[in-house]
Amino acid sequence: MKYFQRALGLLASCLAVSVHASETPAMSKGEYLTRAADCVACHVVPGGKPFAGGLEFKLPFGSLYSPNITPDKETGIGNWTDDEFVDALQKGVGKDGKHYYPAFPYTSYTLMSREDILAIKGYLFSLEPVRQAPPENKLSFPFNQRWGMMFWNMIFASNERFVPDPKQSAEWNRGAYLVQGPGHCGECHTPRNLFQAMSTGRSLAGAELGNWQAYNISSDSQYGIGAWPEEAIVSYLSKGYAAGFGGAGGPMADAVEHSLRWLDPADLKAIAVFLKSTPARAEGIARPAMAVNDAALQKGLGMKLFNDTCVACHRLDGSGRQSPAGGLAGLKTVNDPSGRNLVATLLEGHTPLASRADQRMPYFARSYSDAELAAVSTFVLRRFGQSNGEIKPEDVAKNRASALH
């Protein structure tokens, strides 16, 4: 009887992770999984047509451009068979044996079942074809030799499907599947090794993404999200902020906009349950205390700019005036001495179309000089954080060079 019950539990877990139980008529399983996998984020350029590709990925050894995944038969995937599409997501090998680079997160998608992958294909094939060929990749030798990925895959790509843990609940297994598979959270939040593979011993410990820092989302209570209540994680994923804990910006804001806010509350809670159970990684940016650093309140350019421009939304106590989304106290962003995400937010803004106007952040790249943005950034770090960080004009200039606006 014991083994029969265990088998039933394993079957229930399998069903929970491979089928979306509360699928609504308004969104098919294929569309839901496409949202969960955040496919559009990488396969669209600003102002371009969704899934038509062309987005540039700047890597240490050159630039890659995302392909067109609309059903166009000449420039897209309209002629792809089911097996070719499944192989691309599970093995990183597409049509005609073409090897992909791990900028395409097949090392995570490999955990997805054939059924789920073909549901995504079915949804993509239901879209209007877009005739658009991406630019040619610009990679230095030997990285431009795709055949070399065969050896990389042998070492770093598992080509294994997700197997539920019978010792865990169906909710935990659903969260594990979403985080590790379609959600591919580790692709951004896990540091890379010398060979650009995810460092398994530092999973979810945080990593740099251009101008942005993907924070530690392991269960560590100081550096990760172990101290976050489940409802705070759900709020962050669904709304892009959790008052007193975090606010999404840059690539994470895009993930909320295009992917996470579309997920069912039950799935978001499952993600929270799983993340809070992951191995604690004590590294990265620590979350500051909620108290405001009054010693940092002093006269100067930074304080003047904050009072003139920022205080209308953020207040001097960091509580947020019109919306909790404007809260600054308690955020990792204000406790990072490098000010990476803070400066990037000032330069690029945060204007998701799905958010109310009082939850949007304008960009100031064209409004203020490097010296002015450095001054206000330093004020914010010292006012609301405990890192005593200092941002210099040259730091802003470096970020400005690759900012979006």
Side-chain angles (χ1 to χ4, degrees):
M1 178 63 70
K2 163 173 82 170
Y3 299 102
F4 178 69
Q5 291 174 336
R6 180 179 180 184
L8 285 179
L10 181 60
L11 176 61
S13 296
C14 289
L15 292 174
V17 298
S18 63
V19 178
H20 185 254
S22 57
E23 179 184 319
T24 63
M27 188 181 299
S28 67
K29 176 181 179 180
E31 181 180 2
Y32 188 88
L33 287 168
T34 302
R35 297 275 191 186
D38 201 13
C39 301
V40 73
C42 292
H43 293 275
V44 66
V45 296
K49 293 185 177 181
F51 305 106
L55 186 66
E56 181 182 10
F57 293 84
K58 295 181 179 180
L59 305 174
F61 40 84
S63 290
L64 293 172
Y65 296 88
S66 62
N68 182 338
I69 57 171
T70 73
D72 183 73
K73 292 188 177 182
E74 294 186 22
T75 64
I77 59 172
N79 287 322
W80 284 46
T81 66
D82 286 354
D83 287 343
E84 288 169 341
F85 192 81
V86 171
D87 282 349
L89 271 70
Q90 290 184 345
K91 302 177 183 178
V93 181
K95 193 173 181 62
D96 301 324
K98 180 180 180 180
H99 282 267
Y100 290 104
Y101 295 97
F104 172 52
Y106 64 88
T107 50
S108 294
Y109 291 159
T110 187
L111 295 177
M112 298 177 66
S113 67
R114 180 183 178 88
E115 177 186 353
D116 283 357
I117 291 173
L118 290 182
I120 291 177
K121 178 176 181 282
Y123 171 69
L124 293 176
F125 271 60
S126 73
L127 303 176
E128 179 182 355
V130 178
R131 184 179 175 83
Q132 176 178 299
E136 290 292 328
N137 293 331
K138 301 173 183 177
L139 299 176
S140 59
F141 184 84
F143 303 103
N144 59 354
Q145 304 298 305
R146 287 181 179 270
W147 59 267
M149 290 304 302
M150 290 189 298
F151 302 103
W152 191 94
N153 288 337
M154 290 172 60
I155 300 173
F156 300 112
S158 64
N159 187 23
E160 295 178 353
R161 310 297 84 81
F162 177 81
V163 178
D165 185 345
K167 298 179 182 178
Q168 299 288 351
S169 67
E171 180 180 51
W172 185 95
N173 277 299
R174 176 66 177 175
Y177 177 71
L178 290 170
V179 168
Q180 298 175 333
H184 61 278
C185 303
E187 301 285 345
C188 289
H189 290 274
T190 296
R192 301 272 173 175
N193 62 24
L194 179 64
F195 302 98
Q196 293 302 301
M198 289 186 289
S199 179
T200 55
R202 302 169 65 196
S203 58
L204 307 180
E208 293 183 3
L209 294 174
N211 279 350
W212 297 88
Q213 177 75 26
Y215 290 132
N216 184 328
I217 57 170
S218 75
S219 66
D220 188 86
S221 59
Q222 182 179 8
Y223 294 92
I225 58 174
W228 290 37
E230 288 180 6
E231 56 268 25
I233 300 175
V234 171
S235 175
Y236 182 88
L237 298 176
S238 60
K239 301 176 183 177
Y241 71 90
F245 291 94
M252 189 64 203
D254 288 340
V256 172
E257 172 81 0
H258 298 299
S259 174
L260 295 166
R261 71 183 180 91
W262 297 93
L263 301 189
D264 281 352
D267 277 348
L268 295 177
K269 184 175 182 296
I271 289 173
V273 168
F274 173 72
L275 288 176
K276 286 177 67 69
S277 75
T278 57
R281 310 296 186 191
E283 59 180 287
I285 309 302
R287 178 172 175 262
M290 289 292 289
V292 172
N293 184 1
D294 289 325
L297 185 57
Q298 52 189 333
K299 293 181 180 180
L301 177 60
M303 179 179 179
K304 180 182 185 302
L305 290 171
F306 189 91
N307 283 331
D308 290 347
T309 306
C310 311
V311 76
C313 294
H314 298 288
R315 286 182 171 171
L316 275 173
D317 65 356
S319 61
R321 188 178 298 275
Q322 294 94 343
S323 165
L328 296 174
L331 305 186
K332 285 186 178 182
T333 302
V334 302
N335 207 49
D336 178 1
S338 74
R340 179 184 295 272
N341 288 4
L342 174 60
V343 172
T345 301
L346 289 171
L347 288 171
E348 301 182 23
H350 172 50
T351 56
L353 298 177
S355 297
R356 302 196 315 257
D358 61 359
Q359 296 176 3
R360 300 178 188 177
M361 170 83 174
Y363 68 90
F364 297 102
R366 297 175 182 171
S367 306
Y368 294 95
S369 67
D370 295 343
E372 289 171 324
L373 292 178
V376 74
S377 297
T378 298
F379 173 80
V380 169
L381 292 179
R382 296 184 176 183
R383 171 70 175 168
F384 303 107
Q386 285 79 48
S387 67
N388 201 35
E390 179 181 2
I391 306 302
K392 298 179 180 179
E394 49 266 36
D395 299 327
V396 178
K398 182 179 178 181
N399 283 1
R400 186 191 292 273
S402 55
L404 295 178
H405 296 284

